[in-house]
Amino acid sequence: MLCLLETTKRYYRLDRNAISFLKFIVEAYDGIATLTTIDPVSGLVVLRVAPGCEPDVDTVLLHLKQKINIESVQAINL
């Protein structure tokens, strides 16, 4: 039996000048998540988090929030 797990989508808004920095950091943790920019002007991005990696992403974002402003937003507010 084949079991496919889906990524978790998380939406964030941050300073547009910090998008590439966040992408660099996320990609440094190989395989835990991917970052896609939805709207570069408003700084809206989506993180697609690999199954089971949610705690790791939470830890990374917690530490990054000390350096850059990252605001979690609901998909409905897009």
Side-chain angles (χ1 to χ4, degrees), residues 29-60:
Y29 290 90
D30 193 32
I32 67 169
T34 60
L35 184 140
T36 303
T37 303
I38 296 174
D39 182 6
V41 174
S42 68
L44 187 62
V45 300
V46 61
L47 277 178
R48 288 180 177 87
V49 183
C53 294
E54 294 87 359
D56 295 329
V57 170
D58 291 340
T59 301
V60 170

Side-chain angles (χ1 to χ4, degrees), residues 13-26 35 37 40 43 45 64 67-70:
R13 181 164 284 124
L14 60 150
D15 183 342
R16 67 184 186 158
N17 296 322
I19 293 173
S20 60
F21 174 71
L22 180 58
K23 185 171 180 72
F24 174 78
I25 296 298
V26 168
L35 184 140
T37 303
V45 300
L64 285 175
K67 303 286 183 192
I68 59 177
N69 186 22
I70 303 172

